[in-house]
């Protein structure tokens, strides 16, 4: 049985679905009460409401369930930043990771997978696909990659000292059902606007969106399956894996894909965009798990729009 923190969140829900499809039952841990999505088999998913930053909340979960592995997807960073209490926010962000690592050791789990981000490569140079062995800069422009870098360093130390197989998943830009407006790329907002027949509101983005802007975008169903495959692989040769599509998707390509489903969508973006295209090298993931994405951009856009038009909120 695999425990998934944040297992009813965006990527977490799809990871749980992929684990179920691969034959594993799951325990999901959520800080806030949340209904189980209809596409998850409630007979095979146990829901535990707990705050992983509370060390005392975890031991009883291990007593109630025979946990063999952990996928840690719950937020381990303060976002948005908390300027009035930065020290306490930092303490809580790291407590969750440390508590989960301690539980993994106590429960004798085989593998602990920890979500990281493509953002750790900011400033590392972009001459071709980004490899896991690329040197990373010590600084980062926002809190998420900062905390993920710290988490990766801590994970390596804890793996060496506890004997737990701790693996980091550097997840690319991810979009799809149950998602939310992302501050770093326009895709989700464009899809939602097309499905509703409105003009997209892009005011939440940290920078203006242009047609030629691009990123390694992975559909969330593929992201969840990749994480599940990494969690269940008999052996892994590395501690760090890129999880993405391995290709760039520009906003212009995304707009074109959306218009194959909604031809009159009002989602034009201005031409331009000078930001480098960050693309992950997914060789390790493919070689060690056999993973291949199931969704190209057009199929993903059609699936997401169908989900929204079926009456789902996200």
């Amino acid at each position: 049985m695999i425990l998934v923190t944040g297992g009813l969140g965006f990527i977490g829900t799809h990871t749980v679905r992929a684990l179920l499809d691969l034959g594993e039952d799951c325990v999901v841990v959520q800080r806030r009460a949340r209904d189980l999505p209809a596409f998850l088999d409630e007979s095979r998913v146990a829901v535990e409401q707990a705050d992983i930053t509370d060390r005392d909340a975890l031991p009883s979960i291990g007593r109630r369930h025979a946990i063999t592995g952990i996928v840690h997807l719950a937020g381990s960073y303060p976002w948005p930043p908390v300027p009035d209490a930065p020290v306490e926010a930092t303490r809580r962000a790291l407590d969750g990771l440390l508590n989960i690592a301690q539980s993994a050791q106590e429960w004798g789990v085989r593998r602990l997978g920890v979500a990281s981000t493509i953002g750790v490569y900011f400033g590392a140079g972009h001459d071709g696909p980004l490899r896991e062995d690329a040197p990373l800069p010590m600084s980062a422009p926002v809190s998420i990659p900062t905390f993920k870098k710290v988490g990766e360093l801590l994970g390596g130390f804890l793996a060496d000292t506890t004997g737990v197989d701790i693996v980091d998943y550097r997840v690319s830009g991810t979009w799809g059902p149950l998602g939310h407006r992302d501050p770093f790329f326009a895709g989700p907002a464009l899809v939602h606007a097309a499905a509703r027949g409105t003009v997209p509101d892009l005011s939440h983005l940290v920078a203006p969106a242009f047609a030629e802007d691009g990123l390694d975008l992975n559909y969330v169903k593929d992201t969840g399956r990749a994480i599940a495959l990494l969690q269940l692989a008999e052996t892994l040769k590395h501690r760090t894996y890129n999880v993405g599509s391995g290709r760039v998707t520009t906003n212009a390509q995304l707009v074109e894909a959306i218009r194959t489903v909604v031809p009159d969508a009002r989602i034009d973006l201005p031409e331009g965009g000078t930001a480098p295209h960050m693309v992950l090298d997914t060789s390790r993931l493919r070689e060690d798990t056999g993973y291949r994405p199931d969704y190209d951009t057009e199929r993903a856009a059609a699936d997401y729009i169908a989900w929204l038009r079926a009456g789902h909120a996200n």
Side-chain angles (χ1 to χ4, degrees):
M1 178 170 273
I2 307 299
L3 182 145
V4 183
T5 71
L8 295 182
F10 174 35
I11 294 176
T13 301
H14 293 279
T15 300
V16 170
R17 174 62 183 271
L19 288 165
L20 296 179
D21 290 344
L22 292 169
E24 287 286 342
D25 293 347
C26 293
V27 180
V28 299
V29 177
Q30 286 289 142
R31 184 159 58 93
R32 298 183 181 91
R34 193 174 298 181
D35 292 334
L36 198 67
F39 61 80
L40 295 183
D41 184 348
E42 62 181 13
S43 69
R44 298 177 56 202
V45 180
V47 180
E48 296 279 356
Q49 186 176 352
D51 185 346
I52 61 171
T53 66
D54 178 5
R55 174 63 191 138
D56 294 334
L58 294 174
S60 62
I61 296 175
R63 290 192 294 269
R64 286 192 292 273
H65 307 283
I67 295 168
T68 58
I70 301 174
V71 176
H72 180 38
L73 302 177
S76 56
Y77 48 84
W79 181 266
V82 186
D84 57 336
V87 175
E88 182 58 29
T90 298
R91 180 179 291 111
R92 288 182 58 83
L94 295 179
D95 276 350
L97 173 61
L98 295 174
N99 290 342
I100 287 296
Q102 185 172 354
S103 295
Q105 182 184 29
E106 292 173 353
W107 298 340
V109 307
R110 190 171 71 90
R111 179 173 297 141
L112 165 59
V114 181
S116 186
T117 174
I118 188 175
V120 299
Y121 293 110
F122 286 154
H126 306 288
D127 296 328
L130 297 161
R131 293 173 50 88
E132 293 91 341
D133 55 5
L136 301 181
M138 292 296 292
S139 61
V142 292
S143 64
I144 296 176
T146 298
F147 278 80
K148 292 303 185 182
K149 289 179 187 181
V150 171
E152 288 190 14
L153 287 171
L154 282 174
F157 168 75
L158 293 169
D160 289 336
T161 54
T162 65
V164 177
D165 182 17
I166 300 178
V167 179
D168 294 303
Y169 310 144
R170 292 178 179 169
V171 179
S172 68
T174 301
W175 62 303
L178 301 175
H180 49 77
R181 296 196 307 170
D182 192 285
F184 302 111
F185 59 96
L190 297 177
V191 173
H192 278 251
R196 293 192 303 261
T198 61
V199 175
D201 177 6
L202 303 178
S203 60
H204 64 287
L205 295 175
V206 297
F210 295 95
E212 286 74 29
D213 289 339
L215 180 68
D216 187 319
L217 288 184
N218 211 35
Y219 199 52
V220 68
K221 294 181 180 181
D222 282 331
T223 297
R225 186 167 56 84
I227 292 172
L229 289 170
L230 284 165
Q231 175 61 37
L232 299 181
E234 187 64 30
T235 59
L236 292 175
K237 299 175 184 176
H238 307 280
R239 285 187 177 169
T240 306
Y241 287 85
N242 288 334
V243 175
S245 66
R247 66 180 186 274
V248 66
T249 300
T250 65
N251 284 333
Q253 291 169 330
L254 184 54
V255 166
E256 182 179 359
I258 292 170
R259 284 195 168 132
T260 64
V261 185
V262 188
D264 59 350
R266 294 176 290 166
I267 52 174
D268 288 311
L269 293 174
E271 294 185 0
T274 59
H277 293 168
M278 297 180 70
V279 181
L280 297 178
D281 184 315
T282 57
S283 300
R284 286 185 179 181
L285 175 63
R286 290 185 281 108
E287 291 168 1
D288 287 5
T289 70
Y291 167 82
R292 296 292 188 280
D294 283 339
Y295 289 83
D296 60 17
T297 307
E298 187 170 315
R299 184 186 178 198
D303 187 77
Y304 195 5
I305 291 169
W307 165 270
L308 293 170
R309 286 180 165 177
H312 301 286
N314 290 309

